[in-house]
Amino acid sequence: MWREPWGGRLSSPPVPGAKARTAGLRGACGSAKKTRCIMDRECSQLLPSVCAVLADSRQLVADDTFLEKFLDWFKTLTETESSLLLLQENPCLTELITCVLKLKDPSSSTLSFILRLTGIFAASESCFQYLQQRELLISLFGEVGPLSSALWEEASVRSGWVQGVHSMVQHQSALHFLCSCGAIEVIFTLQGDPSLFVASAANQLLVHMLTFSLQSFQTKPENIKDCDWPICAQKLIVHIEESLKSNSASRIKQSLKLLTSVFGCCHDLWTEVLWSRLSEPIVYLLEEEPVHAGHSLVDLFLSMARSPVFSCPECSLWTSVTCALEHLNPAQVGRLAVGVLKLQECPQAVKIQALSVLLQPMDCVLKAASQPLEYPGLLNRSVNDSATVETLLSCRSSCASLLCQTLTHLEELQYLTCLPVDLPHIPLLQSVVTILQFCIGLATPASCLGNKISRILIGCFRVQRSALDILGALSHWESPSVFIGSVFDILLAYLKSPDTSPTVLKKSFQATLKWLVSLSEAPSSKDHWQQTEQFLQDLFLVLQKRLCSPYWEVRDSALEFLTLLVKHLREKEGFRQVLFSSEVPKLTEDLLEDPESYVRASAVTAMGQLSFLTHLISKKPGVENGNVKEKSIVAQLKEILSTDSEGFPRRAVISVFIDWLREGHPDVLKDTEQFVSSVLQAVNSDLDWEVKAGGLELAEVFSAQLLGRLGLAACPYAAVLSSATRSTHLSESLQIFCQVKLFEFLFGALCDCDRPVAQKACDILIALKAELCDESSLKEGTSAGLSTEARGIAWLEETLRRWSSCAKPCPRGDADEAGSQDPNGVLLVLRTVDLEGLHRSLNRSSDHIEKSPQSLLQDILATVGTLEENEADCY
Amino acid sequence: MLDCGLDMTSTLNFLPLPLVQSPRLSKLPGWVLKDGNTFLDKTELLDLSTVDVILISNYHCMMALPYITEYTGFTGTVYATEPTVQIGRLLMEELVNFIERVPKAQSASLWKNKEVQRLLPAPLKDAVEVSTWRRCYTMPEVNSALSKIQLVGYSQKIELFGAVQVTPLSSGYALGSSNWIIQSHYEKVSYVSGSSLLTTHPQAMDQASLKNSDVLILTGLTQIPTANPDGMVGEFCSNLAMTVRNGGNVLVPCYPSGVIYDLLECLYQYIDSAGLSNVPFYFISPVANSSLEFSQIFAEWLCHNKQTKVYLPEPPFPHAELIQTNKLKHYPSIHGDFSNDFKQPCVVFTGHPSLRFGDVVHFMELWGKSSLNTVIFTEPDFSYLEALAPYQPLAMKCVYCPIDTRLNFIQVSKLLKEVQPLHVVCPEQYTQPPPTQSHRTDLMIDCQPPAMSYRRAEVLTLPFKRRYEKIEIMPELADSLVPLEIKPGISLATVSAVLHTKDNKHVLQPPPKPAQPPASKKRKRVSDDAPECKPLKPLLSGSIPMDQFVQTLEKHGFSDVKVEDTAKGHIVLLQEAETLIQIEEDSTHIICDNDETLRVKLRDLVLKFLQKF
């Protein structure tokens, strides 16, 4: 979680009033954006010395993040200002480039920096000409430059060169320059660079060059023929074509990657022409045995399939995709299949084939475990050679990964809003259950393959997790009772087994929850209820045991599961009966004292949910002491909030309280003010910023509820109150806010050293101010002679200080004492403090001063200075 | 003999021996309270008096020792480590105590008659070899048996009659548990029994020393391969906590040593987190105190972590702290102090796991009627359903958490990959999936070449031949040898010596000096009795090249030489001299008609082609 001590730069804890003033002053400053984009005078003055430092090979800049920031700054500058003007006004920049070029032995980082900086300037055509005239570009990017020096061995220099060229290619002149100086060949070589960063950047550069050169190529679509294309584009295409036809696996992969990016980022019509030219060698790659660049081909087809250019069903792409689905290794092709199934525009036949590819391993598993006659299987016909899938499944190294992939892909399909093809969900469910049975030795193998799968899968957690995920996802289909029974059986087996690992157990809980929720929401839920109730009884026995597990992860998962279960099923009478006839509620309460803080937190959340139900149960005759018990739970939670040494349980308590307040928990409703007051008091002294933020949310909900109840909320449909009634209600609500010490709490939080807390407090105060300090109250306040001017700033500071000391918890401090707070005083304070100004300054990040370019330049100089000092010390 | 465990499952055929008169048990109809003792189920396959040595691998595998040492005429030696003997003694002492403190008023043995047994109800009528079932041994027998044990330490080499050397190695299963290496100079057999690769309290298993075995005899694998000990411990703790939280008592039938140490350690960490700090733990056994104390003093036999604690100094097992803080209390029996201290709800660890005798019988009777209580079975030796049979109908909850830390099949395959024995020999049961789970092909030994299996009372020849023996040469004899290099790196020398064999050790000693010339008639007679030492003839080697041999014969005037090839060599026919020279790979015969001069001449010609030394 991101935290920022926004007040950290102030030397002493600020007095609220003082802070308000400071904030006001800060707010008067001009916009930060403006300072960043135009080089101001200070920067122009500092720049020559910085350039001198950078050009001096003896003065190494130790921290090269400066250089990155420097480049970022120039990038922003060139976007808003004329680059040429920038160079002309700051001749030191051109000098820097010249100087570094003249250096005999420049450092690789400096050289790389210069390459990138020059590229940024050369992006503007005028500036490009300017640099060209001074022969700087040819010296940097031509054959005589760093290319031929020993420093070219450094990956950072090559990377700088590629990035410089990339920045530069924004106009035709740059393209001509690159074509004429032989740079394109260099880029081709860099595609296979040993440094992955350089290779990837080179590939991206080629993509950019191709799309850029063709983007500006103005011809009517029907006349697009590749023979008319610009020379640069033609060079590139010839290179791609040659690579595809070469026997080098790495070259083929580079070209496929390049094409993937091209088709991914550019959806112009010329891409279709490009495909028609390259489809032949690509299809040829598919027909090779074995296919080498499978993954890259999948990426390419997916990228093309998503392009609107190829969406037409007659497009030759689909023939290639069909071919790929048939020829590629089942372990590689899954991604393509699922990608195809997600497409909206795709021929139905291809989709059906893609689904078959995904279902094939599942079909094999199903057949390996049962008699072939008994189940027809998942597929009417086999798409691929099932022998390949069987070989992969019978091998220890590939079986688990193939199944995991397949299961994950099939799970993805379950979440699609509309599945384009009919999914045989019942056989799929059967095969998932079979896999889960195999994994714990419950499935009976029916073939040699079954025996092998069984040996491989027993105890395989990866497959268990994936299978449980999809099992959960399959719950949204309507299934006949017999299959629901088998799902319940396998889930219980996993939940019961002492060998189930904590992560698998968690997945089992998730899948169980999904099935129970789906079954309870299904239109036919009544038909299955008896079956479900029986399952719930078994489930609670298991849950009981899991809540007593010696492993905290297990106790924690069990509690989380219980919370969600209660949340979703609490309306079901049958569920409540099973729940309360078990030991689970009592065990959950015991876990409020668990030694592990995560478990305590989960127990708190679970009790928060359970307490809604205990209340319902307690209303019934025959359940005794319901109220007493309930009270004790509130008291227990409050005690955890004020005494627990760990943050998690306290955060959990505050979020439970927020829920209770929102949902109108009966115990809260009994005396809401007292409840809120005591909670805010406990939160006020908490050091955890998340607890405080929770407290603020509670305050926000409370104030909104109160204002809404009195008809004061800004609701467009609410009846308009007469001004007299409104005024009465306002003073009533103000009175209540004062009683619960809301303002002490909010102003206390406003001064909190955690920025999110202060921000939230500020937001709430602004909202309250809008509601409470309207014209009438203002008049009232003035008429009472309580103007700010009369009291002065000293009064304001004193008041806030008094409040903050008042807000601290006192042993018996209750609503009575809050009476000492004067509602009118509150109104005055609200009006006086510049909340809007504070809001602005709080929204600014604490390092906004340090982010300025001036500071950056000073830092560079300072670092060099320090280095010099150190050097002196050494001698 | 490798191990002598006692199969106590036959006790399950009998009714429990209650500590106090149980009206329920005594009122049961039929075969009541007769002859209910511990029995030995053995085969008459071999005469145990001929056994020279017994190697014990762990304390559970020595429970039948008194029956062998005291009843069979056994005169050999038993080898075992110190903790094995000490804890084995505790187990036997507990067993004897359990049986002897409830003496029988009457005993019956007529039913063992096959005709009578046939009429008995199942499963008694189906029991095999009931005639060999015995009464439990007594304490004097135990003491006598234990006195025959020789203590050994890990990696100690013990010579057995000069024939083989045996060495115990740590097996990681229990305090002092061992695997044994039995090796001669050229063969190595490893006996791996009851081993564990898990990190529990005993010293870790020594795998490296098992490498290069010709044969690895593998037995004592986990009895419950589907139950992972970690999961079971979790299950044990959960069920225990659940019962106690609901106000019930927990009964854990167990042996007084072994898994109980790990369970106590686990509970030590768990009780605070489960809010069980105020629940008393009772350990009731006639040997409870000794067991808890012994465990703390065998530091050198413990795992590394526990060994280091001793130097801090801290007790290696945390049960010391449980005892100090009064959370764990131990008593010799339910009588006496225990009845004063007894508080419920509580957790009781007591024996015997068969539920047929010991204090556990009392607790079963006491707590069996309430569904709040739970009995948790942790020992895998007995079927818990059969153990519970006489207590039915039972209201208390029964949980089966067998904790068997011995090797499972995955660990076995890892071990075999690591150790790479040439052959594996194991009981037949390990080479096929368990009968109740025939589809679990993962629950069997899978190795290459396939394991050789044996079944009960089967005689198996181990798959190696003893081809070489090591012989020592006395230094003075070695001094006199003159080796002759016949091939680069290979030298030969003839040795004439007397082979002296004693205790399977072979020594070549110099031959006795030639007899002195007779000084007197009397002396001569003496020397006549002594073995005669003829002058040594040189040994010959090499082969005779036929062409050259024929040429030589012709050179020496033998004409008309014919050579015939035979299956074994050649026959040279000297027709004129009517002589036959039969040359074979390892012999040459000259057959001539009583012409000694000719024979000697021919012999010398043959010898020219052979090397002598």
Coordinates of all heavy atoms in Angstrom, one line a residue, chain B residues 63-100:
Chain B
M63 N 10.8 -57.9 19.8 CA 9.8 -58.3 20.9 C 9.7 -59.8 21.0 O 9.2 -60.2 22.1 CB 8.5 -57.6 20.6 CG 8.5 -56.1 20.6 SD 8.9 -55.5 22.2 CE 7.4 -55.8 23.1
A64 N 10.2 -60.6 20.1 CA 10.0 -62.0 20.2 C 11.3 -62.6 20.7 O 11.4 -63.9 20.9 CB 9.7 -62.6 18.8
L65 N 12.3 -61.8 21.1 CA 13.6 -62.3 21.5 C 13.6 -63.3 22.6 O 14.2 -64.4 22.5 CB 14.5 -61.1 21.8 CG 16.0 -61.4 21.8 CD1 16.4 -61.8 20.4 CD2 16.8 -60.2 22.2
P66 N 12.8 -63.1 23.7 CA 12.8 -64.1 24.8 C 12.4 -65.5 24.3 O 12.9 -66.5 24.7 CB 11.9 -63.5 25.8 CG 11.9 -62.0 25.6 CD 12.1 -61.9 24.1
Y67 N 11.4 -65.5 23.4 CA 11.0 -66.8 22.9 C 12.1 -67.6 22.2 O 12.1 -68.8 22.2 CB 9.8 -66.6 21.9 CG 8.5 -66.2 22.5 CD1 8.0 -64.9 22.2 CD2 7.9 -66.9 23.5 CE1 6.8 -64.5 22.8 CE2 6.7 -66.5 24.1 CZ 6.2 -65.3 23.8 OH 5.0 -64.9 24.4
I68 N 13.0 -66.8 21.5 CA 14.0 -67.5 20.8 C 15.2 -67.8 21.7 O 15.7 -69.0 21.7 CB 14.5 -66.6 19.6 CG1 13.4 -66.4 18.6 CG2 15.8 -67.1 19.0 CD1 13.5 -65.3 17.7
T69 N 15.6 -66.9 22.5 CA 16.8 -67.1 23.3 C 16.5 -68.1 24.5 O 17.3 -68.8 24.9 CB 17.3 -65.8 23.9 OG1 16.3 -65.2 24.7 CG2 17.8 -64.9 22.9
E70 N 15.2 -68.2 24.9 CA 14.9 -69.0 26.1 C 14.3 -70.3 25.8 O 14.2 -71.1 26.7 CB 14.0 -68.2 27.1 CG 14.5 -66.8 27.4 CD 16.0 -66.8 27.9 OE1 16.3 -67.5 28.8 OE2 16.8 -66.0 27.2
Y71 N 13.8 -70.5 24.6 CA 13.0 -71.7 24.4 C 13.6 -72.6 23.3 O 13.1 -73.7 23.0 CB 11.6 -71.4 24.0 CG 10.8 -70.8 25.1 CD1 10.6 -69.4 25.2 CD2 10.2 -71.6 26.1 CE1 9.9 -68.9 26.3 CE2 9.5 -71.1 27.2 CZ 9.3 -69.7 27.2 OH 8.6 -69.2 28.3
T72 N 14.6 -72.1 22.5 CA 14.9 -72.9 21.3 C 16.3 -73.5 21.4 O 16.8 -74.1 20.5 CB 14.9 -71.9 20.1 OG1 15.9 -70.9 20.3 CG2 13.6 -71.3 19.8
G73 N 17.0 -73.3 22.5 CA 18.4 -73.7 22.6 C 19.4 -72.8 21.8 O 20.5 -73.2 21.5
F74 N 18.9 -71.6 21.6 CA 19.8 -70.6 20.9 C 21.0 -70.3 21.7 O 20.9 -70.1 23.0 CB 19.0 -69.3 20.7 CG 19.7 -68.1 20.2 CD1 20.0 -68.0 18.8 CD2 20.2 -67.2 21.1 CE1 20.7 -66.9 18.4 CE2 20.9 -66.1 20.6 CZ 21.1 -65.9 19.2
T75 N 22.2 -70.3 21.1 CA 23.4 -70.1 21.9 C 24.2 -69.0 21.3 O 25.4 -68.7 21.6 CB 24.3 -71.3 21.9 OG1 24.5 -71.8 20.5 CG2 23.7 -72.5 22.7
G76 N 23.7 -68.3 20.3 CA 24.4 -67.3 19.5 C 24.5 -65.9 20.2 O 24.2 -65.8 21.4
T77 N 24.8 -64.9 19.4 CA 24.9 -63.6 19.9 C 23.9 -62.7 19.2 O 23.6 -62.9 18.1 CB 26.3 -63.0 19.6 OG1 27.2 -64.0 19.9 CG2 26.6 -61.7 20.4
V78 N 23.4 -61.7 20.0 CA 22.4 -60.8 19.4 C 23.1 -59.4 19.3 O 23.7 -59.0 20.3 CB 21.1 -60.7 20.2 CG1 20.1 -59.8 19.6 CG2 20.5 -62.1 20.5
Y79 N 23.0 -58.8 18.2 CA 23.7 -57.4 18.1 C 22.6 -56.4 18.0 O 21.6 -56.5 17.2 CB 24.6 -57.4 16.9 CG 25.8 -58.2 17.0 CD1 25.9 -59.4 16.5 CD2 26.9 -57.7 17.8 CE1 27.0 -60.2 16.6 CE2 28.1 -58.5 17.9 CZ 28.1 -59.7 17.3 OH 29.2 -60.5 17.5
A80 N 22.7 -55.3 18.8 CA 21.8 -54.2 18.7 C 22.4 -53.0 19.3 O 23.4 -53.1 20.1 CB 20.5 -54.6 19.5
T81 N 21.9 -51.8 19.0 CA 22.4 -50.6 19.6 C 21.9 -50.4 21.0 O 20.9 -51.0 21.3 CB 22.0 -49.4 18.7 OG1 20.6 -49.3 18.7 CG2 22.5 -49.5 17.3
E82 N 22.5 -49.5 21.7 CA 22.1 -49.3 23.1 C 20.7 -48.8 23.2 O 19.9 -49.4 24.0 CB 23.1 -48.4 23.8 CG 22.8 -48.4 25.3 CD 23.7 -47.4 26.0 OE1 24.6 -46.8 25.4 OE2 23.5 -47.3 27.2
P83 N 20.3 -47.7 22.5 CA 18.9 -47.3 22.7 C 17.9 -48.4 22.3 O 16.8 -48.5 22.9 CB 18.7 -46.1 21.7 CG 20.1 -45.7 21.4 CD 21.0 -46.9 21.5
T84 N 18.2 -49.2 21.3 CA 17.3 -50.3 20.9 C 17.1 -51.2 22.1 O 16.0 -51.6 22.4 CB 17.9 -51.0 19.7 OG1 18.2 -50.1 18.7 CG2 17.0 -52.1 19.2
V85 N 18.2 -51.6 22.7 CA 18.1 -52.5 23.9 C 17.3 -51.8 25.0 O 16.4 -52.4 25.6 CB 19.5 -52.9 24.3 CG1 19.3 -53.8 25.6 CG2 20.2 -53.6 23.2
Q86 N 17.6 -50.6 25.3 CA 17.0 -50.0 26.5 C 15.5 -49.7 26.2 O 14.7 -50.0 27.1 CB 17.7 -48.6 26.8 CG 19.1 -48.7 27.2 CD 19.4 -49.5 28.5 OE1 18.4 -49.9 29.1 NE2 20.6 -49.8 28.8
I87 N 15.2 -49.3 25.1 CA 13.8 -49.0 24.8 C 13.0 -50.3 24.6 O 11.9 -50.5 25.0 CB 13.6 -48.0 23.7 CG1 14.2 -46.7 24.1 CG2 12.1 -47.8 23.3 CD1 14.3 -45.6 23.0
G88 N 13.7 -51.3 23.9 CA 13.1 -52.6 23.8 C 12.8 -53.2 25.1 O 11.7 -53.8 25.3
R89 N 13.7 -53.0 26.0 CA 13.4 -53.5 27.4 C 12.2 -52.9 28.0 O 11.3 -53.5 28.6 CB 14.6 -53.2 28.3 CG 14.4 -53.7 29.8 CD 15.4 -53.0 30.7 NE 16.8 -53.4 30.4 CZ 17.3 -54.5 30.9 NH1 16.6 -55.3 31.7 NH2 18.6 -54.9 30.6
L90 N 12.1 -51.5 27.8 CA 10.9 -50.8 28.3 C 9.6 -51.4 27.7 O 8.6 -51.6 28.4 CB 11.0 -49.3 28.0 CG 12.1 -48.6 28.6 CD1 12.0 -47.1 28.3 CD2 12.0 -48.7 30.1
L91 N 9.6 -51.6 26.4 CA 8.4 -52.2 25.7 C 8.1 -53.5 26.3 O 6.9 -53.8 26.5 CB 8.7 -52.3 24.2 CG 8.8 -51.0 23.4 CD1 8.9 -51.3 21.9 CD2 7.6 -50.1 23.6
M92 N 9.1 -54.4 26.5 CA 8.8 -55.7 27.0 C 8.4 -55.7 28.4 O 7.4 -56.4 28.8 CB 10.1 -56.6 26.9 CG 10.6 -56.9 25.5 SD 12.0 -57.9 25.6 CE 12.5 -58.0 23.9
E93 N 9.0 -54.8 29.1 CA 8.6 -54.6 30.6 C 7.2 -54.2 30.7 O 6.4 -54.7 31.5 CB 9.5 -53.5 31.2 CG 9.7 -53.6 32.6 CD 10.7 -52.5 33.1 OE1 11.8 -52.4 32.5 OE2 10.3 -51.8 34.0
E94 N 6.8 -53.3 29.8 CA 5.4 -52.8 29.8 C 4.4 -53.9 29.5 O 3.4 -54.1 30.1 CB 5.2 -51.6 28.8 CG 3.9 -51.0 28.9 CD 3.6 -50.1 27.7 OE1 3.6 -50.5 26.6 OE2 3.2 -48.9 28.0
L95 N 4.8 -54.7 28.5 CA 4.0 -55.8 28.0 C 3.8 -56.8 29.1 O 2.7 -57.2 29.5 CB 4.7 -56.5 26.8 CG 3.9 -57.6 26.1 CD1 2.6 -57.1 25.5 CD2 4.8 -58.2 25.0
V96 N 4.9 -57.2 29.8 CA 4.9 -58.2 30.8 C 4.0 -57.6 32.0 O 3.1 -58.3 32.5 CB 6.3 -58.5 31.3 CG1 6.2 -59.4 32.6 CG2 7.1 -59.2 30.2
N97 N 4.2 -56.4 32.3 CA 3.5 -55.7 33.4 C 2.0 -55.7 33.1 O 1.2 -56.1 33.9 CB 4.0 -54.3 33.5 CG 3.5 -53.6 34.8 OD1 2.3 -53.6 35.0 ND2 4.4 -53.1 35.6
F98 N 1.6 -55.3 31.9 CA 0.2 -55.3 31.5 C -0.4 -56.7 31.7 O -1.6 -56.8 32.1 CB 0.1 -54.9 30.0 CG 0.2 -53.4 29.8 CD1 0.5 -52.9 28.5 CD2 0.1 -52.5 30.8 CE1 0.6 -51.6 28.2 CE2 0.2 -51.1 30.5 CZ 0.5 -50.7 29.3
I99 N 0.3 -57.7 31.3 CA -0.3 -59.1 31.3 C -0.3 -59.6 32.7 O -1.3 -60.1 33.2 CB 0.5 -60.0 30.4 CG1 0.6 -59.5 29.0 CG2 0.0 -61.4 30.5 CD1 -0.8 -59.5 28.2
E100 N 0.8 -59.4 33.4 CA 0.9 -60.0 34.8 C 0.1 -59.4 35.8 O -0.3 -60.0 36.8 CB 2.4 -60.1 35.2 CG 3.2 -61.1 34.4 CD 4.6 -61.2 34.9 OE1 5.1 -60.4 35.7 OE2 5.3 -62.1 34.4

